[in-house]
Amino acid sequence: MFKAFLIKYAEIGLKGNNRFIFENALRDRIKEALHFLGDFEVSKEQGRIFVECPDEYDYEETVAAIQKVFGISSICPVAVIESSDWDTLTQGVGDYVEAMYPDRNFTFKVEAKRADKNYKYTSPEICIEMGAYLLKRFPEMKVDVHEPSVRFTVELRTKCYVYSIIIPGLGGMPVGSNGKAMLLLSGGIDSPVAGYMISKRGVSLAATYFHAPPYTSDRAKQKVVDLAEKISKYTGKIKLFVINFTDIQLYIYDQCPHEELTIIMRRYMMKIAERLAEQENCLGLITGESIGQVASQTLQSLAATNEVCTMPVYRPLIAFDKKDIVEIAQKIDTFETSILPFEDCCTIFVAKHPVTKPSIKVINKSEKMLDEKIKEMIETAISTVEVITVG
Ligand code: ATP
Ligand code: MG
């Protein structure tokens, strides 16, 4: 029945001359999403994207794939009518109605759009004439122009299209239309959601995970790889950097007051992630922090963590309650993986009574104990980083 999909854009942030960047990125993302599902033709046409389907394809799978692409407001499966010749058109629309709606006790309205301004009917005339045709062919249907239960939209272009199903898209902007950022990805609930949210605004992702073997196991690392894989369904390819953080953590543990451990560790994570971000041409860092969620996320702690990097740090969950974060995690299918009970490098070295109001001055003083040696350790960690590409 559906030989094509008409895709309507969501918000176009970059208007005017830059609009094509958005449109091309969206077209390319849809192409990528459908690449493994068959031979689909994806093209731009007058403020829309058209996806033409191969003779054989799986409808559900195709819709599900397009639904994961950011930048789409709606997806309309369309029936294609080969010619705009009036008899062919009315017949085609009538056949569509007959096939789609076996029970026709409903109210409807016809909406029309025509690209060909020389067509023998204007858009309002098409609506009236098509409505009359349908009423005659299906007397059980009734017109309601204000609140119809079904709207049939007929678009006349080179070919003609009719649709009545509108599947919502995710909104946002196509990935790649807004630069790249480095996500600090742990195995928790929050950071995958944070990455998803920033990527939804058109940002492609790289990710860094701080691994502390043997304190954190291979399974903990695999969990992070799995999470990256899950969000890559939306964001496209992700280059995941796995930093071996053990020596740095042990050294901080040896040298610094234990109640400051988490904050100092978080500061080193930010520093290292920023270095990798620069290497990868990222324009910002992303974390899953949320005010007050844990001791390391009070305003004082966030200020202390933030102090060590100059790159902007995007924290999309900053004002979210946990339950709202969980809801998104469930929606994007990361939740079940996130709650698997593997150890995390932050919890292993955590102090019984961590500071909740760290003073930046005091933290800086404690970090003096780490002197030159930590710089070397950072270089080693960066030069021995493991890179895993997912998606
Ligand atoms: P999450 O659920 O994302 O792990 P969290 O509530 O456990 O967050 P923290 O452990 O304080 O919070 O971490 C705050 C943020 O720091 C995380 O959202 C993540 O961006 C980053 N982070 C923490 N641990 C790691 C890690 N091992 N590797 C990479 N990033 C990390
Ligand atoms: Mg965590």
Side-chain angles (χ1 to χ4, degrees):
M1 163 103 307
F2 302 114
K3 292 206 184 114
F5 293 91
L6 185 156
I7 313 274
K8 299 181 182 173
Y9 309 160
E11 148 196 7
I12 297 187
L14 308 165
K15 293 200 180 72
N17 293 341
N18 286 333
R19 186 187 169 116
F20 77 97
I21 297 177
F22 175 96
E23 293 175 329
N24 289 351
L26 183 56
R27 180 199 56 203
D28 295 346
R29 294 299 82 76
I30 295 172
K31 269 189 194 167
E32 277 170 19
L34 297 177
H35 180 69
F36 294 106
L37 301 182
D39 210 359
F40 293 84
E41 283 282 331
V42 186
S43 57
K44 287 199 294 185
E45 212 184 292
Q46 292 160 342
R48 303 288 175 80
I49 294 205
F50 267 98
V51 176
E52 291 190 58
C53 308
D55 291 341
E56 301 254 329
Y57 75 100
D58 183 324
Y59 175 81
E60 305 290 336
E61 217 175 47
T62 306
V63 170
I66 302 175
Q67 267 188 307
K68 288 200 171 73
V69 176
F70 296 135
I72 293 175
S73 80
S74 52
I75 304 160
C76 309
V78 297
V80 181
I81 301 159
E82 292 298 328
S83 137
S84 62
D85 160 71
W86 184 249
D87 288 341
T88 314
L89 182 61
T90 48
Q91 177 78 36
V93 173
D95 292 350
Y96 171 83
V97 174
E98 189 167 281
M100 285 291 294
Y101 301 92
D103 173 9
R104 287 181 287 275
N105 278 307
F106 57 76
T107 58
F108 77 101
K109 178 185 181 181
V110 176
E111 292 178 347
K113 296 192 176 99
R114 48 170 205 160
D116 174 10
K117 297 297 170 201
N118 295 318
Y119 194 68
K120 71 168 180 175
Y121 293 130
T122 62
S123 297
E125 285 166 354
I126 296 172
C127 298
I128 293 167
E129 296 297 329
M130 186 64 75
Y133 171 85
L134 292 176
L135 282 174
K136 195 163 160 221
R137 182 163 163 188
F138 308 112
E140 62 275 44
M141 284 168 42
K142 290 192 180 55
V143 171
D144 182 342
V145 290
H146 301 294
E147 280 183 41
S149 354
V150 184
R151 278 169 209 270
F152 295 106
T153 306
V154 181
E155 296 207 7
L156 282 73
R157 296 164 185 265
T158 334
K159 292 177 185 173
C160 298
Y161 306 93
V162 55
Y163 62 88
S164 54
I165 298 175
I166 299 177
I167 303 162
L170 286 172
M173 313 247 260
V175 173
S177 61
N178 255 333
K180 183 156 66 162
M182 177 63 78
L183 169 67
L184 281 86
L185 180 61
S186 71
I189 295 169
D190 306 325
S191 45
V193 173
Y196 166 86
M197 285 176 69
I198 293 295
S199 185
K200 186 162 178 251
R201 299 301 303 165
V203 179
S204 42
L205 299 183
T208 304
Y209 165 57
F210 294 89
H211 189 38
Y215 303 97
T216 56
S217 65
D218 272 354
R219 291 201 305 173
K221 176 171 120 185
Q222 187 56 44
K223 173 177 162 182
V224 175
V225 176
D226 293 346
L227 285 170
E229 187 92 53
K230 293 217 162 189
I231 50 174
S232 75
K233 297 270 184 296
Y234 299 89
T235 68
K237 264 196 184 35
I238 298 176
K239 213 165 150 185
L240 171 66
F241 294 86
V242 180
I243 287 277
N244 186 327
F245 204 46
T246 314
D247 290 349
I248 294 175
Q249 275 193 309
L250 289 175
Y251 186 53
I252 298 172
Y253 190 79
D254 270 354
Q255 302 292 315
C256 301
H258 287 185
E259 62 277 13
E260 292 168 12
L261 262 182
T262 309
I263 293 293
I264 295 177
M265 225 172 61
R266 296 273 307 115
R267 281 160 63 99
Y268 279 96
M269 283 188 186
M270 299 301 273
K271 278 191 205 182
I272 294 172
E274 187 176 43
R275 284 277 301 279
L276 294 170
E278 279 161 3
Q279 269 180 29
E280 289 297 303
N281 298 320
C282 293
L283 300 169
L285 303 175
I286 306 166
T287 73
E289 290 159 313
S290 164
I291 294 173
Q293 204 190 73
V294 284
S296 59
Q297 295 175 29
T298 62
L299 288 187
Q300 291 86 347
S301 299
L302 287 163
T305 313
N306 201 59
E307 196 220 10
V308 298
C309 37
T310 52
M311 237 183 219
V313 181
Y314 299 108
R315 299 178 170 92
L317 304 178
I318 200 71
F320 274 49
D321 290 355
K322 193 77 184 187
K323 88 170 184 4
D324 300 325
I325 302 171
V326 165
E327 212 168 272
I328 302 176
Q330 282 166 333
K331 195 184 88 183
I332 65 172
D333 191 32
T334 53
F335 184 72
E336 295 298 325
T337 307
S338 290
I339 59 172
L340 293 172
F342 304 134
E343 58 297 313
D344 177 86
C345 71
C346 292
T347 46
I348 280 168
F349 293 89
V350 83
K352 271 212 182 73
H353 300 290
V355 281
T356 53
K357 293 181 181 154
S359 126
I360 293 183
K361 246 197 207 151
V362 173
I363 297 287
N364 273 313
K365 204 168 143 211
S366 306
E367 283 184 5
K368 291 240 157 48
M369 314 296 262
L370 302 169
D371 63 39
E372 286 303 306
K373 193 171 160 198
I374 194 120
K375 289 194 181 135
E376 266 169 47
M377 295 173 111
I378 291 175
E379 295 312 318
T380 307
I382 290 175
S383 63
T384 58
V385 69
E386 182 190 1
V387 185
I388 301 170
T389 302
V390 301

